[in-house]
């Protein structure tokens, strides 16, 4: 009994002393055991559609700088023949403007005619007055030549004064005629210039009305065009001269255009293989090669800010009847294929001054170790060197690891 009490007291004292002098780390880190994989394929998911690489444009014609409001469009992907009307514009406002110009033309022509008639009457009147004064000048000149025995000297002086007056009056009438002719010519020039300007407006408006329909340039499938901000044209939208409201793709001249999320585009490069499935034929796998990647990621519309890289893919074997322009696609971009490789989750890798490192768990304690990386995907990354099979790598960064301890571990590794 005494021995039992002694052992109990000794154990309690040992636990008490140890509480001040030591601690036991019982934490279990989330970890992954390194094992080589016989084969692994890195791929990135994408989606997109079939686009045309060669097509006949369907665009607003004419040389008129005007706005056109789309009133009607033939349903997209409709089969059309050359000459079929595919787009109509709202012409109600333009008809009213054209009719007002036509009325203005009639008024201006009437003003020119009235002015010509009025000016002609004034010119005739001035001509008659000029003839009358010339006649009176001739008569007055005769009287000034008569002998003073027939008329008194006072009468002769009056005739001379009258002759001078008539000559001055004649010069004044000549000035009136010249002024009238200049005013007539200037006014006619002004009225005809206004008429010509209105005629040009009328012709422009008439040309605009003549382009209120767009016809298909060739046989094929009509595809809607897109606006500057990526949305497709639709009734109610405004377009301008030469706006490409649609296209007629040349059959078989197609390409795949894919959209890859910016955060998923790790390792996507030109030349990589792409596997694709049309939504209209999910049982058939289509393959191709990447031929172009956009330089920057951008949002696809003004509503959703999510950014995507645009990837162009040449299709290996084109089936023109199956692969129609506008068909939607699900795809996988193969970014790498590895054999006998070490792969760990992206979350287990950290970067320090362009050097990658992980935390290896040994004896339940984490230690930093620098590694060399290879291929990567949004979730996994290849470790080329720095790890061995069977080692455990922590999936979380230790919070209580002292900086000095990390430096010692790094220098020793």
């Amino acid at each position: 009994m005494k021995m039992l009490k002694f052992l109990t007291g000794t154990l309690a004292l040992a636990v008490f002393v140890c509480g001040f002098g030591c601690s036991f780390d019982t934490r279990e880190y989330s970890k992954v055991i390194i094992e080589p994989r016989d084969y692994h394929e890195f791929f990135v998911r994408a989606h997109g559609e079939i686009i045309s690489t060669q097509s006949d444009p369907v665009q607003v014609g004419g040389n008129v700088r005007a706005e056109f409001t789309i009133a009607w469009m033939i349903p997209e992907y409709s089969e059309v023949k050359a000459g079929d009307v595919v787009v109509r514009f709202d012409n109600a406002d333009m008809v009213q403007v054209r009719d007002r110009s036509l009325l203005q033309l009639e008024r201006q022509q009437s003003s020119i005619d009235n002015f010509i008639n009025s000016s002609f009457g004034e010119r005739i009147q001035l001509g008659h007055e000029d003839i009358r004064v010339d006649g009176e000048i001739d008569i007055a000149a005769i009287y000034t030549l008569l002998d003073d025995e027939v008329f008194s000297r006072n009468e002769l002086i009056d005739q001379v004064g009258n002759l001078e007056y008539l000559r001055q009056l004649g010069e004044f009438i000549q000035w009136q005629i010249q002024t009238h002719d200049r005013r007539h010519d200037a006014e006619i020039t002004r009225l005809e210039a206004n008429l010509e300007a209105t005629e040009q407006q009328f012709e422009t408006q008439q040309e605009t009305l003549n382009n209120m329909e767009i016809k298909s340039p060739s046989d094929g499938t009509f595809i809607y065009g897109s606006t500057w901000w990526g949305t497709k044209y639709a009734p109610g939208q405004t377009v301008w001269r030469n706006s490409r409201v649609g296209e007629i793709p040349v059959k078989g001249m197609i390409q795949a255009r894919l959209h890859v999320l910016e955060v998923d585009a790790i390792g996507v490069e030109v030349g990589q293989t792409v596997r694709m499935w049309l939504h209209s034929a999910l049982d058939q796998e289509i393959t191709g090669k990447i031929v172009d990647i956009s330089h920057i990621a951008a949002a696809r519309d003004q509503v959703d800010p999510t950014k995507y890289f645009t990837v162009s893919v040449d299709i290996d074997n084109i089936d023109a009847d199956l692969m129609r322009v506008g068909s939607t696609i699900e795809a996988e971009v193969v970014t790498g294929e590895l054999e006998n490789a070490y792969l760990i989750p992206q979350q287990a890798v950290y970067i320090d001054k362009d050097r990658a490192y992980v935390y290896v768990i040994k004896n339940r304690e984490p230690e930093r170790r620098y590694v060399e990386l290879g291929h990567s995907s949004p979730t996994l990354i290849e470790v080329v060197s720095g790890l061995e099979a069977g080692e455990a790598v922590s999936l979380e960064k230790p919070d209580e690891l002292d900086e000095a301890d990390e430096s010692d571990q790094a220098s020793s590794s």
Side-chain angles (χ1 to χ4, degrees):
M1 188 69 176
K2 290 181 179 181
M3 181 60 68
L4 180 59
K5 290 182 179 181
F6 173 77
L7 292 175
T8 302
T10 302
L11 181 59
L13 178 61
V15 172
F16 179 76
V17 173
C18 187
F20 286 95
C22 64
S23 62
F24 296 97
D25 185 4
T26 59
R27 178 177 178 181
E28 288 289 341
Y29 291 96
S30 299
K31 57 184 179 293
V32 60
I33 305 300
I34 301 301
E35 294 293 347
R37 297 198 185 185
D38 294 336
Y39 175 81
H40 182 79
E41 180 183 81
F42 286 105
F43 66 87
V44 175
R45 297 190 184 279
H47 64 278
E49 61 278 336
I50 298 291
I51 64 170
S52 172
T53 57
Q54 183 178 341
S55 61
D56 295 326
V58 178
Q59 58 189 28
V60 181
N63 297 314
V64 180
R65 293 185 177 274
E67 295 183 354
F68 297 83
T69 302
I70 299 175
W72 171 84
M73 300 180 73
I74 194 170
E76 192 172 20
Y77 307 118
S78 297
E79 294 295 326
V80 296
K81 298 291 184 181
D84 289 350
V85 175
V86 293
V87 179
R88 288 194 180 97
F89 299 110
D90 183 3
N91 65 353
D93 292 340
M94 187 55 64
V95 168
Q96 293 182 358
V97 173
R98 192 274 314 272
D99 290 346
R100 286 197 294 267
S101 295
L102 182 60
L103 179 60
Q104 187 176 2
L105 278 174
E106 294 174 353
R107 289 175 176 174
Q108 288 176 334
Q109 186 61 57
S110 178
S111 297
I112 291 176
D113 295 340
N114 292 336
F115 174 76
I116 291 175
N117 293 333
S118 174
S119 178
F120 182 71
E122 293 178 1
R123 182 64 175 78
I124 291 177
Q125 185 176 357
L126 288 173
H128 289 167
E129 187 69 12
D130 184 52
I131 293 172
R132 182 187 68 79
V133 172
D134 285 345
E136 291 183 1
I137 289 175
D138 292 340
I139 295 174
I142 293 173
Y143 276 102
T144 58
L145 299 175
L146 295 177
D147 192 353
D148 55 1
E149 294 181 355
V150 179
F151 293 97
S152 66
R153 180 170 292 278
N154 289 336
E155 288 177 329
L156 292 175
I157 291 173
D158 289 342
Q159 288 300 326
V160 171
N162 186 46
L163 177 61
E164 184 64 24
Y165 166 75
L166 289 174
R167 286 174 176 170
Q168 293 293 329
L169 180 59
E171 292 178 359
F172 175 71
I173 292 175
Q174 286 295 322
W175 175 83
Q176 282 185 312
I177 290 174
Q178 294 174 359
T179 301
H180 174 273
D181 290 344
R182 287 195 299 268
R183 289 179 55 195
H184 171 85
D185 294 342
E187 185 64 15
I188 286 295
T189 300
R190 185 186 69 83
L191 292 174
E192 288 180 346
N194 291 339
L195 180 65
E196 183 179 358
T198 304
E199 286 176 344
Q200 290 177 350
Q201 290 180 352
F202 176 79
E203 292 173 359
T204 298
Q205 293 154 5
Q206 187 62 50
E207 182 179 355
T208 302
L209 286 173
N210 293 339
N211 287 283
M212 284 295 168
E213 289 185 347
I214 302 180
K215 297 180 180 180
S216 174
S218 58
D219 298 351
T221 304
F222 179 65
I223 307 297
Y224 288 178
S226 298
T227 63
W228 286 104
W229 47 91
T231 59
K232 290 193 173 183
Y233 284 110
Q237 291 183 328
T238 300
V239 297
W240 292 265
R241 181 187 67 176
N242 295 330
S243 293
R244 186 164 175 163
V245 296
E247 61 181 355
I248 307 295
V250 176
K251 190 173 182 179
M253 303 300 291
I254 58 174
Q255 192 179 62
R257 180 174 59 193
L258 304 179
H259 306 287
V260 181
L261 276 170
E262 181 181 23
V263 296
D264 290 346
I266 300 173
V268 177
E269 298 176 356
V270 171
Q272 291 175 338
T273 299
V274 181
R275 296 188 295 263
M276 297 168 285
W277 296 267
L278 294 171
H279 286 165
S280 57
L282 291 174
D283 59 331
Q284 299 187 39
E285 182 179 297
I286 305 167
T287 59
K289 298 287 185 182
I290 296 178
V291 294
D292 186 52
I293 303 173
S294 61
H295 296 294
I296 60 173
R300 297 184 60 190
D301 55 57
Q302 295 177 319
V303 178
D304 187 356
T306 306
K307 294 185 177 182
Y308 297 84
F309 283 98
T310 301
V311 178
S312 299
V313 179
D314 279 348
I315 301 172
D316 291 336
N317 298 304
I318 295 177
D319 185 340
D321 294 325
L322 175 66
M323 304 171 191
R324 309 293 294 275
V325 173
S327 299
T328 52
I329 298 172
E330 294 296 330
E332 294 177 351
V333 180
V334 181
T335 58
E337 295 178 286
L338 303 176
E339 294 181 359
N340 197 31
Y342 293 149
L343 300 176
I344 61 175
Q346 284 274 8
Q347 69 188 74
V349 180
Y350 306 93
I351 304 296
D352 177 23
K353 297 179 181 179
D354 297 331
R355 296 184 64 190
Y357 66 92
V358 298
Y359 288 101
V360 178
I361 305 297
K362 282 192 174 183
N363 300 323
R364 302 178 65 181
E365 291 292 337
E367 66 174 35
R368 179 189 287 199
R369 184 179 304 172
Y370 287 104
V371 294
E372 181 181 352
L373 304 179
H375 286 82
S376 63
S377 73
T379 56
L380 295 175
I381 190 166
E382 177 192 12
V383 177
V384 177
S385 64
L387 294 177
E388 296 180 0
E391 290 187 310
V393 174
S394 175
L395 296 177
E396 52 186 317
K397 185 175 182 179
D399 296 329
E400 301 177 357
L401 196 59
D402 185 79
E403 291 294 333
D405 294 341
E406 287 200 5
S407 299
D408 294 339
Q409 292 176 6
S411 60
S412 62
S413 62

